[in-house]
Amino acid sequence: MPEMLRFMTCGNVDGGKSTLLGALLYNANLLYDDQKQSMCLQTDGEETINYSSMMDGLMVEQAQNITIDVSYKYFSTNERKFIVADTPGHLEYTRNMMVAASNVDLAIVLVDVLEGIVEQTKRHIRICDLVGIKYYIFVINKMDLVGYSQAAYQKIYKKILKLVKNCHLKSSFIIPVSAKFNENIISNSKNMPWYKADCLLRYLESIHLDKDENMGFVMPVQRISKVKDSYRGIQGLVEAGKVSIGEKVIILPSKEKGEIKNIRIGKQEVNTVHTNRSITVELNEHIDVARGDVLCRNAELFLENKFVGSLCWFDKEQIDLDKEYILQIGTQELSARIQKVLGKLNLETGKYENIEEEQNNNILLCEISTIDQLVFSIFKVMKALGTFIMIDRVSNLTVACGVVVAKIEISKEKEREKDCENPLTLWFTGLSGSGKTTVSKRLESKLISSGYLVARLDGDEMRSGLNSDLGFERWERRENVRRIAEVAKLMNKIGITVLIAVISPYENDRKMAREIIGESFVEVYMKTNLEECIKRDVKGLYKMVQQGCLAKFTGIDSSYEVPQNPDILIDTQLEDIESESIKLLRYVKENRPLKNNI
């Protein structure tokens, strides 16, 4: 049996979408007796069938005889299983239609033979093309009103071929029908003997959909499942490709690498998993992974904070280039702005032109930038990370949805123009295990993706190199801080933002560092109590102290002087890593914005 077919009906108001589906389900005996009975009406003593009532489920829809929301039906024949979405034709419900279009493989576009192809028909076709639908059936309906004229059919047939010339379709099928009288729906009509091709149902049962099975593995992370300290599962839906135990994967945006140790579908362990399966994977080592990250392997993905998108604008208010929206792509959720509107889609030609009228329900080509690093794909390559929605922060309404058309190439000269003046040095201080290194790493990634030149200096790395001659006597600790501060000062002079993660336990030493670096110095206190740090023991140092392998360890047998007035206080027991790094990112952007920053 062929795979399940997901399809939709769309087109202008009163084109007969609901009637078509009702006639299909009723006459193919795909309904229960009580459903059939509910469609029967008594008019002047005669029984008639209201096919559209099967799809228009809302009371307001039945009262007004219109479709407002998307109605879904599930049915099957001996040849195939189907999911169909009946969408509204009214302009004000365009967003409902587009949501349905983003989840189907095939579109049935209804054209009223009397009205022909109107603007809303063109809009729906362009939206279907925008969201990547490759298979179309154009139904020329109400043929009974023109006496089943072949000439009337051929006139619209030629207009359809001209209209879809610039669409990215793989196949199209044009069929004349009368939905009201079940003509060419489940069997060929005797009233149109000149039409020799398949009826609608036969075509739906037989159409073959090409699938790309050679894409790389991609899984956006939905959540992390922890079972005490023994198990840390990464959960998500496999959007593309396949993956097996023992294969290497990359975690974006951090670019950390790991190996698949275990794969579960529910509670069942498996060796290999393919597309469209929800799974839990375990890596061979503990790597910082969170919701919004992406596990991938051999996939064509980009890591940028700008792209060109084609979107359908739903909001009655015009696009505000100074307004910050929420952008959702995959499981990622980021602050974003529309930097420039490049053009409006001409529904007739399929080309973008200068915009001169209101934007509501128009398809626009825009440059979009995000405040943070974004993992995305070009829509034509992969749908899952190539589609997005934009949400108004105040009203929480979806104002647009669209697809990624291209990444924006930025020249080295343009990148240099983005450098900030008087870059900062963020000095992370706190006990071992307080999160200095972890948060500074996450912040480093965010700053780089935002266009900053960044260097991160870790205390342990400095002691293994530049300061390898120093021990842990009081004067040696002070000298360790002095050298690190001098390095940071030099980096600041050449335009580099510096992130320093070093315990630096003494108040006077940190004051010395502030004096050396100057006004660029920002003290970030990672507040975490000793018990929590021992519990984390990321590097195993506290365990070594307990075993007598380390002496003069800060917090145990060497004191730590808590900063009295830090520039920034991060309570790591109240905030997670992501919120901490976003807080610091905003601080940097507000105090040292890039010249061309979002």
Side-chain angles (χ1 to χ4, degrees), residues 233-314:
I234 304 168
Q235 299 181 328
L237 175 68
V238 180
E239 295 286 3
K242 64 178 182 178
V243 71
S244 302
I245 292 175
E247 291 184 334
K248 301 283 187 180
V249 294
I250 298 175
I251 298 94
L252 296 177
S254 69
K255 297 183 181 179
E256 296 278 358
K257 296 181 180 179
E259 182 180 307
I260 301 294
K261 177 182 177 182
N262 182 278
I263 304 174
R264 286 187 172 91
I265 299 177
K267 295 182 179 180
Q268 180 184 2
E269 293 189 14
V270 296
N271 291 322
T272 301
V273 68
H274 296 262
T275 306
N276 292 328
R277 298 307 299 266
S278 294
I279 64 171
T280 301
V281 300
E282 184 181 9
L283 301 180
N284 63 334
E285 56 183 291
H286 288 284
I287 299 174
D288 180 22
V289 182
R291 176 179 170 82
D293 290 347
V294 178
L295 269 62
C296 61
R297 183 173 183 271
N298 300 328
E300 192 175 339
L301 301 179
F302 298 104
L303 201 55
E304 308 282 348
N305 70 332
K306 286 187 177 182
F307 65 90
V308 176
S310 183
L311 59 86
C312 187
W313 186 255
F314 301 135

XYZ file of all heavy atoms in Angstrom, residues 233-314:
639
model
N 19.225 11.865 29.040
C 18.751 11.624 27.683
C 18.397 12.907 26.957
O 17.844 13.839 27.540
N 18.713 12.954 25.675
C 18.399 14.101 24.828
C 17.235 13.699 23.935
O 17.343 12.755 23.151
C 19.621 14.498 23.986
C 20.824 14.787 24.892
C 19.313 15.717 23.129
C 22.139 14.897 24.146
N 16.118 14.411 24.049
C 14.899 14.003 23.366
C 14.523 14.955 22.240
O 14.734 16.165 22.330
C 13.743 13.918 24.372
C 13.985 12.893 25.470
C 12.839 12.797 26.451
O 12.153 13.782 26.716
N 12.618 11.608 26.998
N 13.986 14.385 21.171
C 13.553 15.203 20.043
C 13.005 14.348 18.921
O 13.002 13.113 18.992
N 12.541 15.007 17.869
C 12.017 14.335 16.684
C 13.083 14.359 15.592
O 13.643 15.407 15.291
C 10.758 15.051 16.191
C 10.141 14.538 14.884
C 9.553 13.151 15.070
C 9.068 15.512 14.383
N 13.356 13.194 15.017
C 14.312 13.120 13.907
C 13.656 13.757 12.681
O 12.724 13.203 12.106
C 14.728 11.668 13.604
C 15.734 11.647 12.443
C 15.341 11.020 14.837
N 14.143 14.928 12.289
C 13.537 15.665 11.184
C 14.106 15.257 9.825
O 13.470 15.471 8.794
C 13.739 17.178 11.383
C 13.032 17.756 12.595
C 11.535 17.873 12.404
O 11.041 17.444 11.350
O 10.865 18.404 13.301
N 15.297 14.686 9.836
C 15.905 14.286 8.564
C 16.946 13.210 8.803
O 17.556 13.145 9.879
C 16.554 15.496 7.879
N 17.135 12.347 7.815
C 18.202 11.356 7.850
C 17.976 10.241 8.852
O 16.861 9.988 9.310
N 19.052 9.575 9.193
C 19.018 8.493 10.171
C 20.294 8.545 10.998
O 21.276 9.186 10.634
C 18.899 7.138 9.464
C 20.103 6.788 8.590
C 19.948 5.409 7.965
C 21.185 5.066 7.125
N 21.093 3.705 6.542
N 20.285 7.860 12.136
C 21.470 7.819 12.999
C 21.518 6.469 13.695
O 20.475 5.847 13.956
C 21.443 8.974 14.028
C 20.376 8.745 15.092
C 22.808 9.182 14.657
N 22.733 6.008 13.980
C 22.932 4.704 14.612
C 23.855 4.840 15.812
O 24.627 5.811 15.930
C 23.543 3.710 13.616
O 22.724 3.563 12.477
N 23.783 3.869 16.696
C 24.681 3.828 17.849
C 26.128 3.777 17.357
O 26.456 3.066 16.410
C 24.361 2.609 18.738
C 22.988 2.788 19.401
C 25.443 2.406 19.800
C 22.536 1.601 20.205
N 26.986 4.554 17.999
C 28.403 4.582 17.647
C 28.775 5.676 16.674
O 29.966 5.935 16.455
N 27.776 6.351 16.072
C 28.086 7.414 15.116
C 28.360 8.731 15.832
O 27.799 9.014 16.894
C 26.944 7.590 14.119
C 26.793 6.420 13.160
C 25.721 6.642 12.123
O 24.785 7.424 12.391
O 25.806 6.011 11.054
N 29.211 9.542 15.228
C 29.563 10.848 15.765
C 28.509 11.873 15.353
O 28.024 11.857 14.223
C 30.927 11.300 15.246
C 32.083 10.367 15.566
C 32.537 10.513 17.007
C 33.806 9.687 17.252
N 34.283 9.805 18.642
N 28.173 12.776 16.262
C 27.251 13.867 15.952
C 27.852 15.180 16.437
O 28.727 15.199 17.306
C 25.863 13.660 16.601
C 25.158 12.459 16.010
C 25.980 13.537 18.118
N 27.363 16.280 15.859
C 27.773 17.619 16.273
C 26.580 18.298 16.928
O 25.453 18.176 16.460
C 28.263 18.447 15.074
C 29.491 17.790 14.438
C 28.586 19.879 15.488
C 29.958 18.486 13.179
N 26.833 19.002 18.032
C 25.782 19.757 18.715
C 25.944 21.220 18.335
O 26.997 21.818 18.573
C 25.848 19.592 20.252
C 25.625 18.129 20.644
C 24.803 20.468 20.920
C 26.877 17.331 20.803
N 24.921 21.797 17.724
C 24.933 23.206 17.358
C 23.997 23.978 18.281
O 22.975 23.438 18.706
C 24.479 23.375 15.903
C 25.381 22.735 14.844
C 24.763 22.931 13.455
C 26.784 23.303 14.874
N 24.359 25.223 18.687
C 25.420 26.054 18.124
C 26.799 25.909 18.762
O 27.736 26.557 18.325
C 24.884 27.466 18.362
C 24.101 27.347 19.627
C 23.472 25.985 19.587
N 26.943 25.108 19.808
C 28.223 25.044 20.527
C 29.342 24.396 19.716
O 30.519 24.582 20.004
C 28.035 24.280 21.844
O 27.781 22.910 21.589
N 28.980 23.574 18.704
C 29.927 22.830 17.862
C 30.675 21.740 18.633
O 31.693 21.234 18.170
C 30.931 23.774 17.195
C 30.288 24.775 16.237
C 31.336 25.632 15.545
C 30.690 26.645 14.606
N 31.696 27.497 13.941
N 30.167 21.388 19.812
C 30.734 20.263 20.555
C 30.439 18.968 19.803
O 29.440 18.854 19.093
C 30.123 20.194 21.956
C 30.435 21.385 22.850
C 31.794 21.268 23.520
O 32.466 20.231 23.312
O 32.187 22.213 24.215
N 31.323 17.976 19.966
C 31.145 16.696 19.286
C 30.921 15.583 20.298
O 31.492 15.594 21.385
C 32.362 16.388 18.423
C 32.574 17.377 17.289
C 33.789 17.016 16.447
C 33.977 18.017 15.311
N 35.165 17.700 14.480
N 30.077 14.652 19.936
C 29.792 13.518 20.815
C 29.496 12.272 20.007
O 29.319 12.318 18.785
N 29.429 11.168 20.696
C 29.141 9.887 20.047
C 27.858 9.307 20.622
O 27.621 9.369 21.836
C 30.306 8.926 20.276
C 30.138 7.567 19.602
C 31.326 6.659 19.852
O 32.461 7.076 19.584
O 31.106 5.515 20.327
N 27.004 8.756 19.751
C 25.735 8.175 20.195
C 26.019 6.884 20.974
O 26.544 5.917 20.432
C 24.809 7.874 19.003
C 24.511 9.147 18.207
C 23.517 7.222 19.489
C 23.721 10.171 18.956
N 25.644 6.909 22.243
C 25.865 5.746 23.107
C 24.635 4.846 23.161
O 24.752 3.606 23.234
C 26.224 6.219 24.518
C 26.416 5.120 25.543
C 26.717 5.731 26.907
C 26.845 4.656 27.987
N 27.098 5.259 29.325
N 23.460 5.466 23.101
C 22.228 4.705 23.268
C 21.089 5.431 22.560
O 21.053 6.657 22.540
C 21.926 4.557 24.772
C 20.688 3.740 25.043
O 19.577 4.260 24.979
N 20.861 2.466 25.342
N 20.160 4.658 21.965
C 18.972 5.237 21.322
C 17.742 4.511 21.837
O 17.710 3.275 21.859
C 19.023 5.101 19.790
C 20.298 5.732 19.218
C 17.801 5.759 19.155
C 20.470 5.494 17.726
N 16.730 5.277 22.249
C 15.472 4.681 22.708
C 14.299 5.294 21.963
O 14.249 6.501 21.735
C 15.275 4.906 24.214
C 16.160 4.044 25.111
C 15.739 4.226 26.569
N 16.410 3.305 27.456
C 17.555 3.558 28.079
N 18.147 4.730 27.888
N 18.101 2.675 28.889
N 13.355 4.433 21.571
C 12.039 4.871 21.105
C 11.064 4.434 22.180
O 10.756 3.251 22.313
C 11.678 4.240 19.746
C 12.705 4.650 18.675
C 10.284 4.668 19.316
C 12.456 4.008 17.324
N 10.606 5.407 22.979
C 9.860 5.037 24.185
C 10.808 4.351 25.144
O 11.865 4.871 25.490
N 10.464 3.148 25.575
C 11.333 2.388 26.469
C 12.182 1.359 25.722
O 13.033 0.693 26.322
C 10.491 1.681 27.536
C 9.765 2.636 28.480
C 8.988 1.874 29.550
C 8.293 2.832 30.508
N 7.520 2.101 31.560
N 11.934 1.223 24.432
C 12.636 0.210 23.641
C 13.964 0.745 23.114
O 14.034 1.821 22.519
C 11.756 -0.228 22.461
C 12.401 -1.291 21.576
C 11.549 -1.630 20.364
O 10.495 -1.036 20.173
N 12.005 -2.570 19.558
N 15.019 -0.022 23.326
C 16.329 0.331 22.796
C 16.451 -0.151 21.353
O 16.055 -1.263 21.027
C 17.440 -0.283 23.651
C 17.517 0.293 25.058
C 18.761 -0.164 25.803
O 19.674 -0.704 25.144
O 18.817 0.017 27.024
N 17.004 0.719 20.478
C 17.182 0.376 19.062
C 18.600 0.748 18.646
O 19.274 1.557 19.292
C 16.160 1.106 18.165
C 14.746 0.675 18.488
C 16.310 2.621 18.307
N 19.050 0.152 17.544
C 20.395 0.438 17.043
C 20.394 1.593 16.046
O 21.357 2.361 15.977
C 20.989 -0.808 16.377
C 21.287 -1.906 17.374
O 21.734 -1.623 18.480
N 21.021 -3.142 16.995
N 19.336 1.712 15.248
C 19.248 2.734 14.207
C 17.850 3.328 14.197
O 16.869 2.619 14.457
C 19.560 2.135 12.815
O 20.873 1.576 12.833
C 19.497 3.208 11.731
N 17.757 4.603 13.894
C 16.450 5.251 13.829
C 16.411 6.158 12.613
O 17.429 6.741 12.211
C 16.157 6.043 15.120
C 17.075 7.253 15.247
C 14.711 6.474 15.193
N 15.210 6.264 11.987
C 15.045 7.041 10.754
C 14.164 8.266 11.007
O 13.678 8.495 12.110
C 14.437 6.158 9.661
C 15.309 5.011 9.257
N 16.110 5.061 8.138
C 15.523 3.795 9.830
C 16.779 3.924 8.035
N 16.425 3.135 9.038
N 13.919 8.994 9.924
C 13.138 10.236 9.959
C 11.744 10.028 10.553
O 11.153 8.959 10.436
C 13.001 10.797 8.529
O 14.300 10.919 7.957
C 12.348 12.168 8.533
N 11.258 11.095 11.197
C 9.892 11.160 11.747
C 9.673 10.242 12.938
O 8.542 9.836 13.209
C 8.842 10.862 10.661
C 8.781 11.950 9.606
O 9.014 13.118 9.895
N 8.497 11.560 8.377
N 10.733 9.908 13.665
C 10.584 9.145 14.907
C 11.022 10.014 16.080
O 12.059 10.678 16.031
C 11.417 7.862 14.887
C 11.033 6.878 13.808
C 9.551 6.517 13.809
N 9.104 5.903 15.026
C 9.029 4.592 15.246
N 9.394 3.751 14.277
N 8.576 4.108 16.379
N 10.218 10.004 17.150
C 10.583 10.702 18.384
C 11.474 9.779 19.200
O 11.083 8.643 19.488
C 9.329 11.080 19.176
O 8.566 12.034 18.464
N 12.642 10.253 19.559
C 13.632 9.392 20.204
C 14.260 10.073 21.416
O 14.138 11.286 21.614
C 14.753 8.989 19.221
C 15.546 10.234 18.764
C 14.185 8.253 18.029
C 16.796 9.913 17.968
N 14.942 9.249 22.210
C 15.802 9.728 23.283
C 17.189 9.142 23.045
O 17.332 7.932 22.908
C 15.298 9.268 24.664
O 13.962 9.757 24.857
C 16.194 9.815 25.767
N 18.187 10.017 22.928
C 19.546 9.534 22.717
C 20.415 9.898 23.912
O 20.195 10.904 24.590
C 20.175 10.109 21.425
C 19.367 9.725 20.213
C 20.323 11.619 21.503
N 21.405 9.065 24.157
C 22.383 9.314 25.207
C 23.752 9.377 24.545
O 24.096 8.532 23.710
C 22.347 8.191 26.252
C 23.270 8.428 27.424
C 23.237 7.275 28.429
O 22.618 6.231 28.111
O 23.839 7.419 29.507
N 24.526 10.394 24.899
C 25.864 10.544 24.352
C 26.880 9.841 25.231
O 26.610 9.539 26.405
C 26.217 12.022 24.211
C 25.276 12.851 23.315
C 25.750 14.295 23.261
C 25.199 12.263 21.913
N 28.053 9.610 24.674
C 29.078 8.867 25.410
C 29.715 9.680 26.523
O 30.437 9.154 27.362
C 30.169 8.357 24.453
C 30.904 9.505 23.772
O 30.360 10.600 23.607
N 32.136 9.257 23.370
N 29.469 10.986 26.550
C 29.975 11.828 27.629
C 28.998 12.964 27.875
O 28.154 13.272 27.033
C 31.362 12.390 27.283
C 31.416 13.172 25.982
C 32.817 13.646 25.667
O 33.308 14.522 26.394
O 33.417 13.124 24.720
N 29.117 13.587 29.051
C 28.196 14.668 29.408
C 28.618 15.948 28.707
O 29.668 16.516 29.011
C 28.164 14.872 30.923
C 27.465 13.767 31.648
N 26.091 13.648 31.674
C 27.940 12.720 32.351
C 25.756 12.581 32.380
N 26.858 11.989 32.801
N 27.801 16.399 27.765
C 28.038 17.629 27.027
C 26.865 18.566 27.304
O 25.727 18.137 27.429
C 28.158 17.344 25.513
C 29.347 16.408 25.241
C 28.318 18.631 24.723
C 29.456 15.957 23.796
N 27.180 19.862 27.406
C 26.139 20.848 27.692
C 25.183 20.959 26.504
O 25.512 21.531 25.474
C 26.799 22.205 27.971
C 25.777 23.288 28.288
O 24.654 22.931 28.692
O 26.107 24.480 28.133
N 24.000 20.376 26.646
C 22.971 20.398 25.603
C 21.671 20.892 26.230
O 21.335 20.519 27.356
C 22.753 18.994 24.989
C 21.711 19.054 23.883
C 24.061 18.432 24.452
N 20.946 21.744 25.511
C 19.699 22.289 26.040
C 18.656 22.373 24.927
O 18.974 22.216 23.744
C 19.941 23.677 26.641
N 17.405 22.608 25.315
C 16.335 22.795 24.329
C 16.724 23.922 23.380
O 17.219 24.976 23.802
C 15.017 23.133 25.026
C 13.879 23.428 24.040
C 12.575 23.737 24.764
N 11.582 24.243 23.833
C 10.813 23.489 23.046
N 10.925 22.183 23.088
N 9.938 24.036 22.233
N 16.490 23.709 22.094
C 16.870 24.701 21.092
C 18.153 24.345 20.372
O 18.400 24.831 19.269
N 18.989 23.499 20.992
C 20.185 23.020 20.308
C 19.772 22.021 19.220
O 18.641 21.531 19.198
C 21.143 22.340 21.286
C 21.793 23.332 22.238
O 21.685 24.544 21.982
O 22.396 22.903 23.237
N 20.703 21.708 18.340
C 20.421 20.775 17.239
C 21.526 19.730 17.168
O 22.710 20.070 17.121
C 20.329 21.511 15.888
C 20.095 20.518 14.751
C 19.206 22.543 15.913
N 21.139 18.448 17.199
C 22.074 17.355 16.947
C 22.064 17.069 15.456
O 20.991 16.925 14.857
C 21.668 16.090 17.714
C 22.246 15.902 19.128
C 21.787 17.024 20.043
C 21.850 14.551 19.694
N 23.245 16.978 14.844
C 23.276 16.765 13.402
C 24.508 15.960 12.989
O 25.472 15.819 13.740
C 23.246 18.102 12.662
S 24.635 19.190 13.029
N 24.413 15.459 11.767
C 25.511 14.684 11.181
C 25.389 14.764 9.664
O 24.374 14.404 9.092
C 25.436 13.221 11.652
C 26.581 12.345 11.155
C 26.497 10.971 11.816
N 27.618 10.126 11.406
C 27.598 9.339 10.339
N 26.513 9.283 9.598
N 28.649 8.612 10.039
N 26.439 15.285 9.017
C 26.467 15.408 7.551
C 25.268 16.178 7.009
O 24.706 15.825 5.972
C 26.520 14.019 6.891
C 27.751 13.238 7.296
O 28.803 13.809 7.550
N 27.621 11.928 7.359
N 24.846 17.207 7.720
C 23.669 17.986 7.315
C 24.090 19.374 6.840
O 25.056 19.947 7.337
C 22.683 18.113 8.472
N 23.339 19.905 5.890
C 23.631 21.223 5.331
C 22.908 22.291 6.157
O 21.821 22.751 5.811
C 23.184 21.277 3.865
C 23.695 22.499 3.114
C 23.356 22.471 1.641
O 23.090 21.369 1.110
O 23.358 23.545 1.016
N 23.539 22.671 7.275
C 22.974 23.667 8.185
C 23.893 24.880 8.273
O 25.096 24.787 8.028
C 22.778 23.064 9.579
C 21.868 21.853 9.688
C 21.802 21.369 11.123
C 20.468 22.166 9.176
N 23.309 26.013 8.664
C 24.075 27.248 8.831
C 23.978 27.727 10.266
O 22.990 27.473 10.965
C 23.561 28.332 7.884
C 23.691 27.971 6.435
C 22.581 27.574 5.703
C 24.917 28.025 5.803
C 22.689 27.240 4.361
C 25.040 27.685 4.465
C 23.931 27.292 3.740
N 25.006 28.442 10.693
C 25.080 29.004 12.039
C 25.350 30.494 11.890
O 26.500 30.934 11.818
C 26.203 28.308 12.810
C 26.171 28.359 14.340
C 24.862 27.827 14.873
C 27.331 27.589 14.906
N 24.278 31.273 11.805
C 24.390 32.710 11.546
C 23.360 33.443 12.396
O 22.542 32.832 13.070
C 24.124 33.011 10.059
C 24.940 32.196 9.075
C 26.361 32.683 8.937
O 26.657 33.794 9.435
O 27.184 31.958 8.328
N 23.415 34.784 12.328
C 22.345 35.545 12.987
C 21.628 36.472 11.999
O 20.973 37.417 12.384
C 22.882 36.336 14.184
C 23.767 37.497 13.782
O 24.412 37.461 12.740
N 23.804 38.525 14.598
N 21.766 36.150 10.695
C 21.033 36.890 9.668
C 20.655 35.948 8.531
O 21.400 35.031 8.207
C 21.873 38.035 9.110
C 22.011 39.232 10.041
C 22.722 40.376 9.330
C 22.786 41.605 10.233
N 23.429 42.747 9.551
N 19.491 36.189 7.948
C 19.093 35.425 6.772
C 18.038 36.202 5.989
O 17.450 37.176 6.496
C 18.555 34.040 7.157
C 17.277 34.064 7.950
C 16.037 34.048 7.319
C 17.302 34.081 9.346
C 14.859 34.059 8.042
C 16.125 34.089 10.085
C 14.906 34.083 9.430
N 17.808 35.781 4.759
C 16.734 36.345 3.941
C 15.560 35.386 4.004
O 15.716 34.182 3.759
C 17.184 36.536 2.481
C 16.011 37.025 1.630
C 18.333 37.526 2.393
N 14.400 35.907 4.357
C 13.216 35.071 4.478
C 12.067 35.583 3.622
O 11.929 36.792 3.417
N 11.264 34.670 3.126
C 10.030 35.016 2.428
C 8.889 34.700 3.383
O 8.744 33.558 3.816
C 9.906 34.206 1.136
O 8.753 34.592 0.418
N 8.094 35.702 3.741
C 7.074 35.502 4.772
C 5.736 36.080 4.359
O 5.657 36.988 3.539
C 7.543 36.108 6.098
C 7.878 37.604 6.135
C 6.630 38.445 6.391
C 8.922 37.896 7.206
N 4.708 35.530 4.951
C 3.353 36.057 4.780
C 3.020 36.855 6.036
O 3.047 36.316 7.149
C 2.349 34.925 4.583
S 0.687 35.513 4.157
N 2.761 38.147 5.871
C 2.524 39.042 7.005
C 1.034 39.070 7.341
O 0.193 39.420 6.522
C 3.020 40.448 6.668
C 2.953 41.396 7.822
C 2.054 42.398 8.008
C 3.818 41.415 8.963
N 2.304 43.042 9.202
C 3.377 42.467 9.803
C 4.917 40.647 9.359
C 4.009 42.767 11.014
C 5.541 40.943 10.550
C 5.089 41.990 11.367
N 0.693 38.686 8.576
C -0.705 38.557 8.978
C -1.234 39.769 9.744
O -2.445 39.979 9.802
C -0.889 37.325 9.886
C -0.481 36.031 9.256
C 0.285 35.113 9.946
C -0.873 35.727 7.968
C 0.652 33.911 9.382
C -0.515 34.529 7.385
C 0.257 33.617 8.089
